[in-house]
Amino acid sequence: MLPRRLWTGAVVALLCGLLPLAPSVRADDDAEAPAPAPVLIFTIAGVDRVMGDAEGVLDSIERGDMKAPLGGLLERVGNLAGIDRTKPFGVVLLLDTEQLPPRPKPIGFVPVSSAADLAKTVGLTGSTMEAVAGEADSYLLTPPNGDPMAVRIQNGYAYLTDNRLGLEGPLPDLGTLVDPLAARYDAALSIRFNAVPIGIRQVFVNFLRVSAETELQRRDEEPEAAYLVRRSNGINALELIEQLLTQGEDITIGWDATPEKKTATLEVSINATPDSEFAKYLHDSAGRPSMFTPLQSDDKPLSMSLSWLMNKREKTATTGLFQAAKSQLAIELPAAALPAGPLDRFFDAVQATIDSGQFDMFVQFAAPEPDKFVFLGGVKVVGGETLGLALGETLNHVIQRVASEGNTETAPQIIPQADEYEGVVIHKIIPRSIPAQERRVYGGTPEVFVGTSSRIVWFAVGKDEALPALKGAIDIMRQAPTQPVPAGGNVPFQLTARIAKWIQLPEPEFPMAEGTEENPGRSRSNERRAARAKERREVAQEAFSETDTLRIEARPTDSGLRIRVRFDEGFLRMMGLQAVRGFERSQL
């Protein structure tokens, strides 16, 4: 039996769309104002669709016995009589621009098949819904605990908002706004910048600029490197937000779980004003393919590639970050920072890479053995020979600095030019202290390898398998034929992860410290953490098969950029198993 407060709260939330509200000024009744355009839409595709998805997950975990308690939730409220369970419901946010600053007005919406039956369903939750005298299709909904809600039925939907705000005047046509989202997604959130007048958006941008200018000044006693990093990141973020607000049209986040396909998809779509600078930036981001495409693999624990064309804003921000790094290294290694010294030559090559406009990077976790991972990757550079020679000289300066300070016992051991393979000069770094979590991933204390060639800076982290894995990646890149442009165009970002391989790693350790008089619960806390970790692991082992994969892709569209995250069936099974376990615990 489901607790009464659970189904009561669920239905009241469904009907009322409770959100923090602020007072607003009502429009002039005599004015023929157009229906306002929502600046935000949150919608769920329909009760029946949600129930169908939930039953599909229960079938996948072979827990059909849970369908009866699931259906019991609706039976407790008369199967939501009066509500069209095939149509979407949710919340829209209007913006009252007649006030300064503009104030939000959230309005919930529920598809209605019968007002009379809806009133009976509301009554089953302990709420009341009474007609407002003299106002057609208007009602007052009073929850058992909470403020009264104004309700107005129009075009097959019940609109609900705080009674202080009211629902006078024209209301948005939900069919044209919500139906396209419901046709594509189970649940969606759409933020519509183009529904906000450009003047208001510009005022907000100006406010951000003024605030940022103060915040991005150098603080008292702030190190130069920290200031440069903070300022570069701040300016980059500010300019991106400005482009988004002034040239963006909307952002839509949608979730779709299809039982028949046994997958789920989370999608983020960014649309920009056609022919704007922002639209050009998003479209041009995939202008060049990644040189690391031959290394991308779906069967590894994780593979990720990023090939992004940077615009002027991103070049400036990246330059600032590396200037901060150079500034800090010059303090730590003054001998290497002399004019035309190794630091200058190293960062000249870095700057040439930034000026080329393309950021091309690849990282991967490989699993030569089930419980011993290797982390490797590469970054495309311009002037790799210069960068490599300067890196070797810089490492020698680091060795001299460590020796002069007498901390050779605690500092990492550095071996320049430890190996060379197919024209790649490889340096070796042996750390002295590694966190337990990283030792668990690598099967012990790892070693770090950094290699440089004419076009690539390579790196690998791991135990005995790290160097062979790095050389194997170099071989693949050397022998791979020229990659054709994919039929769907270049993919600037892609990531794949095989979850089962991560579950094969050793269990995390939680030190069982004894409690003390001051903190008697310390030991019990670690025991609970260990128990929760063990339960999560058990659920994951039951849920995931060897081939269940997480895939993320970012692709330009005609009007912007789309990021798509695809979850294989194992993720749905894991959510279902966790939900069932949580429900069963609540019944104990």
Side-chain angles (χ1 to χ4, degrees), residues 275-310:
D275 300 324
S276 65
E277 182 181 343
F278 189 43
K280 183 177 185 303
Y281 159 67
L282 294 175
H283 182 270
D284 291 350
S285 62
R288 299 180 198 168
S290 172
M291 70 180 299
F292 298 104
T293 299
L295 293 174
Q296 187 71 29
S297 174
D298 288 355
D299 64 354
K300 295 292 192 295
L302 183 142
S303 289
M304 186 274 289
S305 66
L306 173 65
S307 177
W308 192 268
L309 284 186
M310 298 183 289

PDB file of all heavy atoms in Angstrom, residues 275-310:
ATOM      1  N   ASP A 275      22.143  33.783 -39.092  1.00  0.00           N
ATOM      2  CA  ASP A 275      23.111  34.749 -39.619  1.00  0.00           C
ATOM      3  C   ASP A 275      23.792  35.584 -38.538  1.00  0.00           C
ATOM      4  O   ASP A 275      24.509  36.540 -38.848  1.00  0.00           O
ATOM      5  CB  ASP A 275      22.451  35.702 -40.646  1.00  0.00           C
ATOM      6  CG  ASP A 275      21.873  34.948 -41.825  1.00  0.00           C
ATOM      7  OD1 ASP A 275      22.477  33.940 -42.240  1.00  0.00           O
ATOM      8  OD2 ASP A 275      20.798  35.350 -42.316  1.00  0.00           O
ATOM      9  N   SER A 276      23.583  35.244 -37.266  1.00  0.00           N
ATOM     10  CA  SER A 276      24.255  35.982 -36.198  1.00  0.00           C
ATOM     11  C   SER A 276      25.667  35.447 -36.000  1.00  0.00           C
ATOM     12  O   SER A 276      26.021  34.355 -36.463  1.00  0.00           O
ATOM     13  CB  SER A 276      23.469  35.852 -34.888  1.00  0.00           C
ATOM     14  OG  SER A 276      23.478  34.500 -34.439  1.00  0.00           O
ATOM     15  N   GLU A 277      26.483  36.204 -35.290  1.00  0.00           N
ATOM     16  CA  GLU A 277      27.846  35.772 -34.987  1.00  0.00           C
ATOM     17  C   GLU A 277      27.828  34.496 -34.144  1.00  0.00           C
ATOM     18  O   GLU A 277      28.665  33.604 -34.320  1.00  0.00           O
ATOM     19  CB  GLU A 277      28.584  36.882 -34.239  1.00  0.00           C
ATOM     20  CG  GLU A 277      30.032  36.558 -33.919  1.00  0.00           C
ATOM     21  CD  GLU A 277      30.723  37.670 -33.165  1.00  0.00           C
ATOM     22  OE1 GLU A 277      30.210  38.807 -33.162  1.00  0.00           O
ATOM     23  OE2 GLU A 277      31.790  37.398 -32.562  1.00  0.00           O
ATOM     24  N   PHE A 278      26.847  34.396 -33.225  1.00  0.00           N
ATOM     25  CA  PHE A 278      26.735  33.213 -32.380  1.00  0.00           C
ATOM     26  C   PHE A 278      26.379  31.978 -33.206  1.00  0.00           C
ATOM     27  O   PHE A 278      26.928  30.892 -32.991  1.00  0.00           O
ATOM     28  CB  PHE A 278      25.676  33.465 -31.302  1.00  0.00           C
ATOM     29  CG  PHE A 278      25.619  32.418 -30.234  1.00  0.00           C
ATOM     30  CD1 PHE A 278      26.778  31.888 -29.674  1.00  0.00           C
ATOM     31  CD2 PHE A 278      24.403  31.958 -29.764  1.00  0.00           C
ATOM     32  CE1 PHE A 278      26.721  30.930 -28.674  1.00  0.00           C
ATOM     33  CE2 PHE A 278      24.325  31.001 -28.770  1.00  0.00           C
ATOM     34  CZ  PHE A 278      25.493  30.482 -28.220  1.00  0.00           C
ATOM     35  N   ALA A 279      25.476  32.136 -34.173  1.00  0.00           N
ATOM     36  CA  ALA A 279      25.105  31.018 -35.045  1.00  0.00           C
ATOM     37  C   ALA A 279      26.304  30.556 -35.862  1.00  0.00           C
ATOM     38  O   ALA A 279      26.531  29.344 -36.032  1.00  0.00           O
ATOM     39  CB  ALA A 279      23.961  31.430 -35.963  1.00  0.00           C
ATOM     40  N   LYS A 280      27.085  31.504 -36.357  1.00  0.00           N
ATOM     41  CA  LYS A 280      28.274  31.150 -37.139  1.00  0.00           C
ATOM     42  C   LYS A 280      29.289  30.409 -36.269  1.00  0.00           C
ATOM     43  O   LYS A 280      29.903  29.417 -36.698  1.00  0.00           O
ATOM     44  CB  LYS A 280      28.899  32.406 -37.736  1.00  0.00           C
ATOM     45  CG  LYS A 280      30.107  32.134 -38.644  1.00  0.00           C
ATOM     46  CD  LYS A 280      30.628  33.433 -39.250  1.00  0.00           C
ATOM     47  CE  LYS A 280      31.739  33.155 -40.256  1.00  0.00           C
ATOM     48  NZ  LYS A 280      32.872  32.410 -39.671  1.00  0.00           N
ATOM     49  N   TYR A 281      29.463  30.873 -35.032  1.00  0.00           N
ATOM     50  CA  TYR A 281      30.405  30.225 -34.112  1.00  0.00           C
ATOM     51  C   TYR A 281      30.009  28.777 -33.854  1.00  0.00           C
ATOM     52  O   TYR A 281      30.849  27.863 -33.929  1.00  0.00           O
ATOM     53  CB  TYR A 281      30.442  31.020 -32.810  1.00  0.00           C
ATOM     54  CG  TYR A 281      30.956  30.258 -31.623  1.00  0.00           C
ATOM     55  CD1 TYR A 281      32.277  29.841 -31.532  1.00  0.00           C
ATOM     56  CD2 TYR A 281      30.099  29.951 -30.561  1.00  0.00           C
ATOM     57  CE1 TYR A 281      32.738  29.140 -30.431  1.00  0.00           C
ATOM     58  CE2 TYR A 281      30.553  29.254 -29.457  1.00  0.00           C
ATOM     59  CZ  TYR A 281      31.869  28.848 -29.393  1.00  0.00           C
ATOM     60  OH  TYR A 281      32.312  28.147 -28.311  1.00  0.00           O
ATOM     61  N   LEU A 282      28.723  28.532 -33.577  1.00  0.00           N
ATOM     62  CA  LEU A 282      28.277  27.163 -33.305  1.00  0.00           C
ATOM     63  C   LEU A 282      28.394  26.284 -34.543  1.00  0.00           C
ATOM     64  O   LEU A 282      28.815  25.127 -34.467  1.00  0.00           O
ATOM     65  CB  LEU A 282      26.831  27.181 -32.797  1.00  0.00           C
ATOM     66  CG  LEU A 282      26.602  27.847 -31.437  1.00  0.00           C
ATOM     67  CD1 LEU A 282      25.116  27.906 -31.126  1.00  0.00           C
ATOM     68  CD2 LEU A 282      27.357  27.115 -30.333  1.00  0.00           C
ATOM     69  N   HIS A 283      28.036  26.841 -35.692  1.00  0.00           N
ATOM     70  CA  HIS A 283      28.078  26.050 -36.922  1.00  0.00           C
ATOM     71  C   HIS A 283      29.509  25.716 -37.323  1.00  0.00           C
ATOM     72  O   HIS A 283      29.802  24.608 -37.797  1.00  0.00           O
ATOM     73  CB  HIS A 283      27.382  26.803 -38.052  1.00  0.00           C
ATOM     74  CG  HIS A 283      27.333  26.029 -39.339  1.00  0.00           C
ATOM     75  ND1 HIS A 283      28.323  26.116 -40.288  1.00  0.00           N
ATOM     76  CD2 HIS A 283      26.424  25.144 -39.805  1.00  0.00           C
ATOM     77  CE1 HIS A 283      28.020  25.313 -41.298  1.00  0.00           C
ATOM     78  NE2 HIS A 283      26.881  24.712 -41.039  1.00  0.00           N
ATOM     79  N   ASP A 284      30.430  26.664 -37.127  1.00  0.00           N
ATOM     80  CA  ASP A 284      31.813  26.466 -37.572  1.00  0.00           C
ATOM     81  C   ASP A 284      32.644  25.647 -36.590  1.00  0.00           C
ATOM     82  O   ASP A 284      33.804  25.332 -36.874  1.00  0.00           O
ATOM     83  CB  ASP A 284      32.502  27.821 -37.781  1.00  0.00           C
ATOM     84  CG  ASP A 284      31.931  28.574 -38.966  1.00  0.00           C
ATOM     85  OD1 ASP A 284      31.152  27.973 -39.728  1.00  0.00           O
ATOM     86  OD2 ASP A 284      32.244  29.764 -39.111  1.00  0.00           O
ATOM     87  N   SER A 285      32.076  25.304 -35.426  1.00  0.00           N
ATOM     88  CA  SER A 285      32.860  24.606 -34.405  1.00  0.00           C
ATOM     89  C   SER A 285      33.413  23.276 -34.904  1.00  0.00           C
ATOM     90  O   SER A 285      34.439  22.800 -34.423  1.00  0.00           O
ATOM     91  CB  SER A 285      32.007  24.376 -33.153  1.00  0.00           C
ATOM     92  OG  SER A 285      30.887  23.552 -33.453  1.00  0.00           O
ATOM     93  N   ALA A 286      32.727  22.657 -35.873  1.00  0.00           N
ATOM     94  CA  ALA A 286      33.168  21.346 -36.384  1.00  0.00           C
ATOM     95  C   ALA A 286      33.864  21.475 -37.727  1.00  0.00           C
ATOM     96  O   ALA A 286      33.825  20.563 -38.545  1.00  0.00           O
ATOM     97  CB  ALA A 286      31.971  20.413 -36.509  1.00  0.00           C
ATOM     98  N   GLY A 287      34.557  22.589 -37.939  1.00  0.00           N
ATOM     99  CA  GLY A 287      35.145  22.845 -39.242  1.00  0.00           C
ATOM    100  C   GLY A 287      36.246  21.889 -39.646  1.00  0.00           C
ATOM    101  O   GLY A 287      36.486  21.676 -40.821  1.00  0.00           O
ATOM    102  N   ARG A 288      36.954  21.305 -38.669  1.00  0.00           N
ATOM    103  CA  ARG A 288      38.055  20.395 -38.998  1.00  0.00           C
ATOM    104  C   ARG A 288      37.893  19.087 -38.223  1.00  0.00           C
ATOM    105  O   ARG A 288      37.567  19.107 -37.034  1.00  0.00           O
ATOM    106  CB  ARG A 288      39.405  21.022 -38.625  1.00  0.00           C
ATOM    107  CG  ARG A 288      39.717  22.318 -39.355  1.00  0.00           C
ATOM    108  CD  ARG A 288      41.068  22.848 -38.900  1.00  0.00           C
ATOM    109  NE  ARG A 288      41.226  24.257 -39.237  1.00  0.00           N
ATOM    110  CZ  ARG A 288      42.197  25.036 -38.758  1.00  0.00           C
ATOM    111  NH1 ARG A 288      43.089  24.518 -37.925  1.00  0.00           N
ATOM    112  NH2 ARG A 288      42.279  26.302 -39.093  1.00  0.00           N
ATOM    113  N   PRO A 289      38.127  17.957 -38.879  1.00  0.00           N
ATOM    114  CA  PRO A 289      38.023  16.668 -38.171  1.00  0.00           C
ATOM    115  C   PRO A 289      39.189  16.476 -37.212  1.00  0.00           C
ATOM    116  O   PRO A 289      40.252  17.070 -37.367  1.00  0.00           O
ATOM    117  CB  PRO A 289      38.070  15.644 -39.306  1.00  0.00           C
ATOM    118  CG  PRO A 289      38.825  16.330 -40.404  1.00  0.00           C
ATOM    119  CD  PRO A 289      38.472  17.783 -40.299  1.00  0.00           C
ATOM    120  N   SER A 290      38.990  15.625 -36.212  1.00  0.00           N
ATOM    121  CA  SER A 290      40.055  15.302 -35.278  1.00  0.00           C
ATOM    122  C   SER A 290      41.062  14.363 -35.932  1.00  0.00           C
ATOM    123  O   SER A 290      40.680  13.416 -36.628  1.00  0.00           O
ATOM    124  CB  SER A 290      39.471  14.645 -34.025  1.00  0.00           C
ATOM    125  OG  SER A 290      40.506  14.162 -33.187  1.00  0.00           O
ATOM    126  N   MET A 291      42.338  14.606 -35.684  1.00  0.00           N
ATOM    127  CA  MET A 291      43.357  13.710 -36.205  1.00  0.00           C
ATOM    128  C   MET A 291      43.394  12.394 -35.424  1.00  0.00           C
ATOM    129  O   MET A 291      44.017  11.420 -35.842  1.00  0.00           O
ATOM    130  CB  MET A 291      44.729  14.391 -36.161  1.00  0.00           C
ATOM    131  CG  MET A 291      45.291  14.584 -34.766  1.00  0.00           C
ATOM    132  SD  MET A 291      46.927  15.413 -34.767  1.00  0.00           S
ATOM    133  CE  MET A 291      47.890  14.247 -35.713  1.00  0.00           C
ATOM    134  N   PHE A 292      42.709  12.350 -34.260  1.00  0.00           N
ATOM    135  CA  PHE A 292      42.752  11.165 -33.405  1.00  0.00           C
ATOM    136  C   PHE A 292      41.586  10.207 -33.653  1.00  0.00           C
ATOM    137  O   PHE A 292      41.395   9.266 -32.870  1.00  0.00           O
ATOM    138  CB  PHE A 292      42.752  11.591 -31.932  1.00  0.00           C
ATOM    139  CG  PHE A 292      43.942  12.419 -31.540  1.00  0.00           C
ATOM    140  CD1 PHE A 292      43.823  13.787 -31.370  1.00  0.00           C
ATOM    141  CD2 PHE A 292      45.180  11.837 -31.373  1.00  0.00           C
ATOM    142  CE1 PHE A 292      44.911  14.561 -31.006  1.00  0.00           C
ATOM    143  CE2 PHE A 292      46.288  12.601 -31.013  1.00  0.00           C
ATOM    144  CZ  PHE A 292      46.157  13.968 -30.832  1.00  0.00           C
ATOM    145  N   THR A 293      40.839  10.413 -34.735  1.00  0.00           N
ATOM    146  CA  THR A 293      39.694   9.542 -35.020  1.00  0.00           C
ATOM    147  C   THR A 293      40.060   8.058 -35.037  1.00  0.00           C
ATOM    148  O   THR A 293      39.283   7.226 -34.547  1.00  0.00           O
ATOM    149  CB  THR A 293      39.056   9.948 -36.360  1.00  0.00           C
ATOM    150  OG1 THR A 293      38.600  11.305 -36.265  1.00  0.00           O
ATOM    151  CG2 THR A 293      37.886   9.048 -36.701  1.00  0.00           C
ATOM    152  N   PRO A 294      41.224   7.638 -35.551  1.00  0.00           N
ATOM    153  CA  PRO A 294      41.553   6.203 -35.544  1.00  0.00           C
ATOM    154  C   PRO A 294      41.623   5.586 -34.150  1.00  0.00           C
ATOM    155  O   PRO A 294      41.499   4.368 -34.006  1.00  0.00           O
ATOM    156  CB  PRO A 294      42.925   6.152 -36.234  1.00  0.00           C
ATOM    157  CG  PRO A 294      42.975   7.382 -37.082  1.00  0.00           C
ATOM    158  CD  PRO A 294      42.241   8.418 -36.306  1.00  0.00           C
ATOM    159  N   LEU A 295      41.817   6.412 -33.111  1.00  0.00           N
ATOM    160  CA  LEU A 295      41.934   5.874 -31.757  1.00  0.00           C
ATOM    161  C   LEU A 295      40.584   5.746 -31.054  1.00  0.00           C
ATOM    162  O   LEU A 295      40.497   5.079 -30.013  1.00  0.00           O
ATOM    163  CB  LEU A 295      42.855   6.769 -30.914  1.00  0.00           C
ATOM    164  CG  LEU A 295      44.333   6.794 -31.320  1.00  0.00           C
ATOM    165  CD1 LEU A 295      45.084   7.822 -30.497  1.00  0.00           C
ATOM    166  CD2 LEU A 295      44.961   5.425 -31.147  1.00  0.00           C
ATOM    167  N   GLN A 296      39.550   6.400 -31.588  1.00  0.00           N
ATOM    168  CA  GLN A 296      38.244   6.347 -30.944  1.00  0.00           C
ATOM    169  C   GLN A 296      37.720   4.909 -30.960  1.00  0.00           C
ATOM    170  O   GLN A 296      37.715   4.246 -31.997  1.00  0.00           O
ATOM    171  CB  GLN A 296      37.253   7.282 -31.652  1.00  0.00           C
ATOM    172  CG  GLN A 296      35.923   7.433 -30.962  1.00  0.00           C
ATOM    173  CD  GLN A 296      36.010   8.227 -29.671  1.00  0.00           C
ATOM    174  OE1 GLN A 296      36.877   9.091 -29.531  1.00  0.00           O
ATOM    175  NE2 GLN A 296      35.133   7.933 -28.736  1.00  0.00           N
ATOM    176  N   SER A 297      37.281   4.416 -29.802  1.00  0.00           N
ATOM    177  CA  SER A 297      36.851   3.023 -29.697  1.00  0.00           C
ATOM    178  C   SER A 297      35.676   2.912 -28.737  1.00  0.00           C
ATOM    179  O   SER A 297      35.704   3.499 -27.648  1.00  0.00           O
ATOM    180  CB  SER A 297      38.007   2.132 -29.221  1.00  0.00           C
ATOM    181  OG  SER A 297      37.571   0.819 -28.980  1.00  0.00           O
ATOM    182  N   ASP A 298      34.660   2.133 -29.147  1.00  0.00           N
ATOM    183  CA  ASP A 298      33.482   1.943 -28.309  1.00  0.00           C
ATOM    184  C   ASP A 298      33.676   0.888 -27.228  1.00  0.00           C
ATOM    185  O   ASP A 298      32.880   0.818 -26.293  1.00  0.00           O
ATOM    186  CB  ASP A 298      32.268   1.547 -29.160  1.00  0.00           C
ATOM    187  CG  ASP A 298      31.738   2.710 -29.986  1.00  0.00           C
ATOM    188  OD1 ASP A 298      32.257   3.831 -29.820  1.00  0.00           O
ATOM    189  OD2 ASP A 298      30.810   2.498 -30.779  1.00  0.00           O
ATOM    190  N   ASP A 299      34.691   0.031 -27.359  1.00  0.00           N
ATOM    191  CA  ASP A 299      34.807  -1.081 -26.424  1.00  0.00           C
ATOM    192  C   ASP A 299      35.789  -0.814 -25.289  1.00  0.00           C
ATOM    193  O   ASP A 299      36.086  -1.697 -24.496  1.00  0.00           O
ATOM    194  CB  ASP A 299      35.196  -2.366 -27.154  1.00  0.00           C
ATOM    195  CG  ASP A 299      36.589  -2.273 -27.789  1.00  0.00           C
ATOM    196  OD1 ASP A 299      37.183  -1.187 -27.753  1.00  0.00           O
ATOM    197  OD2 ASP A 299      37.052  -3.299 -28.321  1.00  0.00           O
ATOM    198  N   LYS A 300      36.301   0.406 -25.181  1.00  0.00           N
ATOM    199  CA  LYS A 300      37.189   0.763 -24.086  1.00  0.00           C
ATOM    200  C   LYS A 300      36.365   1.277 -22.893  1.00  0.00           C
ATOM    201  O   LYS A 300      35.221   1.701 -23.046  1.00  0.00           O
ATOM    202  CB  LYS A 300      38.166   1.851 -24.540  1.00  0.00           C
ATOM    203  CG  LYS A 300      39.139   1.408 -25.625  1.00  0.00           C
ATOM    204  CD  LYS A 300      40.121   0.386 -25.094  1.00  0.00           C
ATOM    205  CE  LYS A 300      41.276   0.143 -26.063  1.00  0.00           C
ATOM    206  NZ  LYS A 300      40.838  -0.470 -27.335  1.00  0.00           N
ATOM    207  N   PRO A 301      36.939   1.247 -21.694  1.00  0.00           N
ATOM    208  CA  PRO A 301      36.217   1.822 -20.554  1.00  0.00           C
ATOM    209  C   PRO A 301      35.779   3.261 -20.800  1.00  0.00           C
ATOM    210  O   PRO A 301      34.698   3.667 -20.379  1.00  0.00           O
ATOM    211  CB  PRO A 301      37.237   1.732 -19.410  1.00  0.00           C
ATOM    212  CG  PRO A 301      38.080   0.554 -19.764  1.00  0.00           C
ATOM    213  CD  PRO A 301      38.198   0.601 -21.269  1.00  0.00           C
ATOM    214  N   LEU A 302      36.617   4.041 -21.500  1.00  0.00           N
ATOM    215  CA  LEU A 302      36.233   5.414 -21.857  1.00  0.00           C
ATOM    216  C   LEU A 302      37.111   5.900 -22.997  1.00  0.00           C
ATOM    217  O   LEU A 302      38.327   5.680 -22.983  1.00  0.00           O
ATOM    218  CB  LEU A 302      36.364   6.356 -20.654  1.00  0.00           C
ATOM    219  CG  LEU A 302      35.927   7.809 -20.895  1.00  0.00           C
ATOM    220  CD1 LEU A 302      35.219   8.363 -19.653  1.00  0.00           C
ATOM    221  CD2 LEU A 302      37.116   8.701 -21.240  1.00  0.00           C
ATOM    222  N   SER A 303      36.498   6.534 -23.995  1.00  0.00           N
ATOM    223  CA  SER A 303      37.223   7.211 -25.066  1.00  0.00           C
ATOM    224  C   SER A 303      36.563   8.553 -25.309  1.00  0.00           C
ATOM    225  O   SER A 303      35.328   8.635 -25.381  1.00  0.00           O
ATOM    226  CB  SER A 303      37.205   6.401 -26.365  1.00  0.00           C
ATOM    227  OG  SER A 303      38.012   5.262 -26.272  1.00  0.00           O
ATOM    228  N   MET A 304      37.359   9.604 -25.426  1.00  0.00           N
ATOM    229  CA  MET A 304      36.803  10.938 -25.645  1.00  0.00           C
ATOM    230  C   MET A 304      37.695  11.710 -26.607  1.00  0.00           C
ATOM    231  O   MET A 304      38.913  11.719 -26.464  1.00  0.00           O
ATOM    232  CB  MET A 304      36.697  11.694 -24.321  1.00  0.00           C
ATOM    233  CG  MET A 304      35.980  13.054 -24.432  1.00  0.00           C
ATOM    234  SD  MET A 304      37.078  14.419 -24.908  1.00  0.00           S
ATOM    235  CE  MET A 304      38.038  14.630 -23.432  1.00  0.00           C
ATOM    236  N   SER A 305      37.086  12.340 -27.605  1.00  0.00           N
ATOM    237  CA  SER A 305      37.835  13.206 -28.520  1.00  0.00           C
ATOM    238  C   SER A 305      37.131  14.549 -28.625  1.00  0.00           C
ATOM    239  O   SER A 305      35.899  14.630 -28.593  1.00  0.00           O
ATOM    240  CB  SER A 305      37.961  12.563 -29.906  1.00  0.00           C
ATOM    241  OG  SER A 305      36.701  12.455 -30.532  1.00  0.00           O
ATOM    242  N   LEU A 306      37.927  15.585 -28.737  1.00  0.00           N
ATOM    243  CA  LEU A 306      37.421  16.947 -28.865  1.00  0.00           C
ATOM    244  C   LEU A 306      38.219  17.658 -29.935  1.00  0.00           C
ATOM    245  O   LEU A 306      39.442  17.794 -29.824  1.00  0.00           O
ATOM    246  CB  LEU A 306      37.537  17.695 -27.534  1.00  0.00           C
ATOM    247  CG  LEU A 306      37.194  19.186 -27.549  1.00  0.00           C
ATOM    248  CD1 LEU A 306      35.714  19.382 -27.871  1.00  0.00           C
ATOM    249  CD2 LEU A 306      37.518  19.832 -26.204  1.00  0.00           C
ATOM    250  N   SER A 307      37.543  18.059 -31.008  1.00  0.00           N
ATOM    251  CA  SER A 307      38.178  18.839 -32.065  1.00  0.00           C
ATOM    252  C   SER A 307      37.313  20.069 -32.293  1.00  0.00           C
ATOM    253  O   SER A 307      36.257  19.992 -32.934  1.00  0.00           O
ATOM    254  CB  SER A 307      38.298  18.020 -33.347  1.00  0.00           C
ATOM    255  OG  SER A 307      38.863  18.803 -34.388  1.00  0.00           O
ATOM    256  N   TRP A 308      37.755  21.188 -31.753  1.00  0.00           N
ATOM    257  CA  TRP A 308      36.917  22.385 -31.697  1.00  0.00           C
ATOM    258  C   TRP A 308      37.651  23.558 -32.329  1.00  0.00           C
ATOM    259  O   TRP A 308      38.808  23.823 -32.000  1.00  0.00           O
ATOM    260  CB  TRP A 308      36.596  22.700 -30.235  1.00  0.00           C
ATOM    261  CG  TRP A 308      35.527  23.721 -30.030  1.00  0.00           C
ATOM    262  CD1 TRP A 308      35.702  25.064 -29.892  1.00  0.00           C
ATOM    263  CD2 TRP A 308      34.131  23.478 -29.933  1.00  0.00           C
ATOM    264  NE1 TRP A 308      34.477  25.684 -29.713  1.00  0.00           N
ATOM    265  CE2 TRP A 308      33.498  24.731 -29.731  1.00  0.00           C
ATOM    266  CE3 TRP A 308      33.347  22.337 -30.002  1.00  0.00           C
ATOM    267  CZ2 TRP A 308      32.117  24.849 -29.601  1.00  0.00           C
ATOM    268  CZ3 TRP A 308      31.976  22.455 -29.863  1.00  0.00           C
ATOM    269  CH2 TRP A 308      31.371  23.698 -29.665  1.00  0.00           C
ATOM    270  N   LEU A 309      36.974  24.257 -33.231  1.00  0.00           N
ATOM    271  CA  LEU A 309      37.538  25.481 -33.801  1.00  0.00           C
ATOM    272  C   LEU A 309      37.241  26.647 -32.867  1.00  0.00           C
ATOM    273  O   LEU A 309      36.078  26.983 -32.639  1.00  0.00           O
ATOM    274  CB  LEU A 309      36.964  25.747 -35.190  1.00  0.00           C
ATOM    275  CG  LEU A 309      37.505  24.888 -36.326  1.00  0.00           C
ATOM    276  CD1 LEU A 309      36.955  25.382 -37.662  1.00  0.00           C
ATOM    277  CD2 LEU A 309      39.025  24.905 -36.364  1.00  0.00           C
ATOM    278  N   MET A 310      38.277  27.246 -32.335  1.00  0.00           N
ATOM    279  CA  MET A 310      38.108  28.335 -31.367  1.00  0.00           C
ATOM    280  C   MET A 310      37.877  29.660 -32.088  1.00  0.00           C
ATOM    281  O   MET A 310      38.518  29.948 -33.095  1.00  0.00           O
ATOM    282  CB  MET A 310      39.343  28.443 -30.471  1.00  0.00           C
ATOM    283  CG  MET A 310      39.612  27.216 -29.627  1.00  0.00           C
ATOM    284  SD  MET A 310      41.034  27.423 -28.511  1.00  0.00           S
ATOM    285  CE  MET A 310      42.385  27.408 -29.691  1.00  0.00           C
TER     286      MET A 310
END
